[in-house]
Every structure is written in structure tokens, then in C-alpha cells.
Amino acid sequence: MDPTAPAPDNRGGRAEDRPLTAEERAEYERLRKSASVRHRRLRYGAASVLLLLALLLSPVAVLSAWLHNTISDQDRYVQTVAPLAENPAVQGAVTDKLTNRIVSNIDVKAITEALQRALQQADAPPLIVEKSEALEGPLKGAISSAVRSVVSKLVTSEQFETVWTEANKRAQAAVEKVLTGEGSSAVQASGDTVVLNIGTLTDELKQRLVDAGFEKASAIPEVDKQIPLLQTEKLNKAQDAMRLLNVVGVWLPILVLVLAALAIWAAPAHRVWLLATAIGLFVMMLVLLVALAVARRIYLDSVPPATLPPDAAAAVYDTLVRFLRQSTRTLLVLSVITGLAAYLYGPGRGARFVRKAATRATGATGRSLERIGLRTGLTGHWLQEHRKWTTGLVIGAGALVLLLWNYPTPGVVALVFGIVVVLLFVLGVLAAAPGDAGRHGAGGDGPKHGPGVSTG
């Protein structure tokens, strides 16, 4: 007797061949349901953790990506600060500071004293000589007015915008080289010291002296080509922070996207979880916008009016963070569109109504095309049979465009969404107008036509 053979039941048959009793089937269903519940709870728990991490990290990811792009990308940095050169409040603040700096270097009192001595030497009446001291105030005002007029014309000219752009390019390059410690630049980092490398300058100076006839200039000995500009113990910390930003600014947004995708994939109800992700992202971006508004108030309160007028300070803050706000609003629009799409694919009454209305609209349009002789034939039949695949392909293409688009704006998201909707409508119309050949051609009934639009 085989000891591994199934034991016979009390009716003489093998246990594996007989049907389950009512009690056994009830126990089996209970165990299967319990295992299914545990499995679903595990999936929901994992999805909840992944989604929570993605949502909490999303504002940090947006902020770090903005910082990284602004500091490391020279074109992006110049685009960020360029509008400041055209802002009236900033132009006024620059004009005031330049005017005050120039006027402070003019000794108006010395001018009035010289005038007083000249009047005395010219035997002017004593009253006139005495009153000449009162000219100091009006003279200073006249000089300030004249200087301000000249400075204002310069600051509001196109030349100032060009100088502003070039100066910011050089500043960005110098700061990046200092913080990264890489590349060639006049301003470099050496240990905990920021130095100015004048090697190229001294070599060019020697050559110009030689060209000007000072042949002995070529014999000038080598000098120290590095001039210390700043020594700080925090330079290494700033460089470490920059290296961390180079990593976080690139990979944290990707990590957030992966976590959100894993959360949707792990959850039993993918559509519901996609809707939850969209709602969560919308809330977090609103929180980030509120935080930026609070930071703006704190910044304006911290800047003394003597340093920068309130309107100029507000213009500086709004200009510097405008791309951050734009990215946040872009994600807001994207979350609304994603949530709307997830809802419309659900079983809700409103979703069913919209789907039925869209089907009726495309069907009516397709039948209208058929009546005027425009039939899509087998192509329309194929589109009708593979509607899910074509819909997914169009939506996936739209998502890919947004992923590959550099710095998409809310307008770009709306445009891509509109194009996707139009393409889906067109495909629906084409699928609804196959004609008799398209409806019967695939099954062998009726005349065969190749794919394409038929006019017969």
C-alpha cells in the first residue's frame, strides 16, 4: 500500500475526488476571504505609505528643482533676473542709490567756500559774501537733480539692460565656480578662501607693454597670480550644500514621481488611488503657494526701507520666485486635469453622463460623415475595435510631451490637454464612420476595402 496515497473517506472514495461538503465549502470560502482581506489591507498599507511619502516630498522636490535650475543653469538665472532691469521700482531704487553715491563724493561745501573767497577777492558787498553760504543747500539740490536726470536716462535705457544681463551672467558663473570648485573662472575657491585669479590679466598686461615699446616688460618676473578676496569657514559648508543640491534637485522630483507611480500600482483600486494622488498633489501645491505668500510677507518686513524701498523689495521677491510659482501652478493645473480624467473613467453618475454625451456626439458626427459619403472603412472598424488602446496611446503621448517639455507652464499643460481631447474626439468620429464596408468587411461579409477614408 502506498503510504503517500490519499486516505479514503468514510464512503470508500479518495478525499480529493469527492465534492466538498457544505461545512467544508463554507470554511474554504471563509479562509479565502480572510486571506484576500489581509492581502488587500497589506496593499492598501503599502500604497498609503508610498503616497504619503510622495506627497510630503513633493513641495521639497519642486523647491529643490527650482533652486538647482536657477543656480546651475545660466540661461534660467538670466531669465529670472532680467525683468528687474525693466521694473520701474527697481530702476528708481538703483537711480537713487547711484545718485546719492555720486553726490556724496562732491564736496558742495568746498564749492560754496571757494565761491565765498572769490566774492571777497572781487570786493563784493559783505552782505552778498555772507549770504553766499546759504547757497550750499540749493546748490546740492541742483547738483542732485542734474545727476539724477543723467542717471535716470542711463538706468532706463537699453544699454542698462544689456549691462545688467552681462553682469548677472558673470556673477552667476563666478558663484557657480566658487560653490562647485570646478571649471575655470577669474573667481575661484581655494580651501576656505575665495581668490581672484589674475594670471590671464598679468600675461595680457605684459604683452601689451611689449607691444607699446617697453621691451623689458617681457623680463618681469612671475608674481603671485591669486589675490585673496574672502576667507570664511562656511565656504566648505556652502560647497557641500551645493553638491547636495545638485543631487537632490535632479533626483528628488524623479523619486517623488516613482513613489506616486508605485503607490497607484500597489493599490487594489488604481483609478481611485490616481484620483487620491491628484487631490493630494493639489493640496500640497496650495500649501506651497501659501508658504510663498507668507515668506514674501516675512521678507518685506525684514528689509529696511533705507536699504530697499518696499515696492522695489516686493518687485525683487516676486521676480525671483516667479518661476517657482509658475511650476507650482503648473502642477496645480496638472493635478486638476489628472483628477478629472480619473473621475470620468469611474462609475459615478456624472462620469457616465459625460461619457454617454461624448459617445453620442462622436456617433452623430460620424453618421453625418457617412451621409455625405465620407466613410473610414476598415480603418474606422479597427479604431472601433481598439478604442482602449488608441485612447491610452494618445493620453500617454500627451503625458510624455509634458515630461520632455522644459519648464512647462500652465498654458502648455492646458494646450496639451486640449490637443489630447481633440485627438480623442477625432478618433471617436473616425471610429463611428466606417460605413457598411467597415462594419462587414472584417467578418468576410460585403466588399473588401483597404484601410483609409472611402468616398464611395
Side-chain angles (χ1 to χ4, degrees):
M1 179 177 179
D2 187 0
T4 62
D9 61 2
N10 54 7
R11 290 173 293 183
R14 291 188 305 174
E16 63 179 12
D17 293 336
R18 66 177 177 81
L20 296 177
T21 64
E23 293 79 6
E24 291 173 336
R25 181 168 295 278
E27 180 65 14
Y28 169 75
E29 293 294 337
R30 186 188 66 81
L31 293 175
R32 189 180 69 167
K33 184 177 180 180
S34 177
S36 176
V37 169
R38 287 196 299 268
H39 180 65
R40 290 176 64 87
R41 286 178 179 175
L42 180 62
R43 292 178 62 182
Y44 273 121
S48 299
V49 173
L50 291 172
L51 182 58
L52 181 62
L53 286 175
L55 294 179
L56 291 178
L57 291 175
S58 58
V60 183
V62 174
L63 182 60
S64 60
W66 167 73
L67 280 174
H68 176 263
N69 293 332
T70 302
I71 296 176
S72 301
D73 189 339
Q74 186 177 88
D75 293 336
R76 190 66 167 177
Y77 173 77
V78 172
Q79 289 177 3
T80 300
V81 301
L84 291 175
E86 304 175 357
N87 187 276
V90 175
Q91 289 177 344
V94 173
T95 300
D96 291 341
K97 287 188 176 297
L98 289 178
T99 301
N100 294 335
R101 179 66 61 85
I102 294 173
V103 173
S104 64
N105 292 326
I106 300 177
D107 194 348
V108 180
K109 185 175 182 180
I111 296 176
T112 56
E113 289 177 351
L115 176 62
Q116 189 177 31
R117 289 193 298 269
L119 291 174
Q120 289 176 345
Q121 293 174 1
D123 295 328
L127 182 61
I128 295 178
V129 174
E130 180 181 354
K131 295 296 183 181
S132 64
E133 295 181 356
L135 295 176
E136 181 177 349
L139 181 60
K140 187 173 183 178
I143 293 175
S144 298
S145 178
V147 171
R148 182 181 301 277
S149 177
V150 175
V151 172
S152 178
K153 291 181 180 179
L154 176 63
V155 170
T156 56
S157 66
E158 294 182 0
Q159 182 181 2
F160 177 74
E161 297 178 15
T162 303
V163 172
W164 176 269
T165 300
E166 293 301 322
N168 277 285
K169 285 183 178 180
R170 290 193 296 270
Q172 186 275 340
V175 170
E176 184 179 7
K177 297 299 185 297
V178 168
L179 292 179
T180 60
E182 301 175 354
S184 58
S185 175
V187 181
Q188 298 177 349
S190 177
D192 60 352
T193 305
V194 179
V195 298
L196 175 65
N197 192 331
I198 60 172
T200 305
L201 179 62
T202 55
D203 294 340
E204 184 178 350
L205 177 60
K206 289 166 62 175
Q207 185 60 44
R208 289 193 178 187
L209 289 174
V210 172
D211 295 341
F214 298 95
E215 297 181 357
K216 294 184 179 180
S218 60
I220 296 176
E222 293 291 333
V223 297
D224 187 3
K225 297 181 180 181
Q226 289 188 339
I227 300 177
L229 297 179
L230 176 65
Q231 186 171 7
T232 173
E233 297 178 354
K234 296 183 178 180
L235 180 58
N236 291 332
K237 295 182 179 180
Q239 291 177 334
D240 292 339
M242 184 63 187
R243 284 189 285 269
L244 177 62
L245 182 61
N246 286 335
V247 175
V248 174
V250 174
W251 292 105
L252 187 57
I254 298 176
L255 176 62
V256 170
L257 186 61
V258 171
L259 289 175
L262 288 176
I264 297 171
W265 173 79
H270 302 315
R271 185 193 62 83
V272 175
W273 222 249
L274 177 62
L275 181 59
T277 303
I279 295 174
L281 181 62
F282 182 85
V283 172
M284 296 308 296
M285 292 304 102
L286 283 182
V287 171
L288 181 56
L289 287 178
V290 172
L292 289 176
V294 174
R296 183 180 189 271
R297 186 69 267 166
I298 295 174
Y299 165 76
L300 294 180
D301 292 340
S302 65
V303 177
T307 303
L308 199 61
D311 55 347
V316 169
Y317 181 86
D318 293 337
T319 301
L320 292 180
V321 304
R322 78 182 191 282
F323 285 136
L324 176 57
R325 285 174 173 163
Q326 176 179 285
S327 299
T328 306
R329 295 190 183 106
T330 299
L331 290 175
L332 276 175
V333 174
L334 188 60
S335 64
V336 171
I337 293 175
T338 303
L340 180 62
Y343 171 75
L344 291 179
Y345 273 91
R349 180 180 301 177
R352 293 197 304 270
F353 173 80
V354 172
R355 291 199 299 267
K356 289 180 180 179
T359 302
R360 285 195 296 267
T362 55
T365 307
R367 289 189 294 272
S368 298
L369 292 179
E370 287 183 334
R371 283 194 293 270
I372 63 175
L374 295 176
R375 302 180 180 89
T376 55
L378 294 180
T379 299
H381 177 77
W382 186 90
L383 290 174
Q384 181 66 30
E385 292 293 325
H386 300 83
R387 175 166 292 185
K388 290 184 178 180
W389 286 99
T390 55
T391 300
L393 182 62
V394 171
I395 295 176
L400 183 61
V401 168
L402 291 178
L403 284 176
L404 298 180
W405 196 293
N406 283 333
Y407 312 120
T409 63
V412 169
V413 175
L415 176 62
V416 172
F417 173 70
I419 293 175
V420 168
V421 171
V422 170
L423 287 177
L424 291 178
F425 182 81
V426 171
L427 291 177
V429 171
L430 295 177
D436 294 336
R439 291 188 178 91
H440 302 293
D445 299 329
K448 300 287 186 179
H449 294 280
V453 177
S454 173
T455 58

